[in-house]
Amino acid sequence: MRHLARLADYCSITNMHTKNLAIVWAPNLLRSKQIESACFSGTAAFMEVRIQSVVVEFILNHVDVLFSSKLSSVIRDGAGRCL
């Protein structure tokens, strides 16, 4: 994900900003067996891919926060606690 975020930094040269990268990479990063099944209609499959691309775009726009070592340590430290 960090690599794709770095690619987005060069969008002025490549025209591959986070939205374009998300559209291209979302079906591979968030593969869905439901979409691949024959019972999924074209419209439903399109909506599923659209949701996937929004999720990947969000991740790319927030990659520094989501994949920071500080957040990882907070999650790791809080995982053993009971509420």
Side-chain angles (χ1 to χ4, degrees), residues 10-72:
Y10 295 96
C11 65
S12 61
I13 298 167
T14 64
N15 201 31
M16 291 299 287
H17 46 80
T18 55
K19 186 171 187 153
N20 285 345
L21 289 166
I23 290 168
V24 171
W25 283 97
N28 293 306
L29 295 172
L30 302 176
R31 183 170 232 144
S32 171
K33 290 182 181 184
Q34 292 173 336
I35 291 175
E36 294 172 0
S37 71
C39 64
F40 232 71
S41 71
T43 304
F46 175 76
M47 290 305 295
E48 185 75 17
V49 170
R50 182 171 152 78
I51 291 167
Q52 289 173 342
S53 69
V54 168
V55 170
V56 171
E57 184 179 3
F58 175 84
I59 293 170
L60 290 175
N61 285 326
H62 299 90
V63 74
D64 292 335
V65 174
L66 294 172
F67 296 101
S68 73
S69 58
K70 184 176 180 179
L71 180 63
S72 297

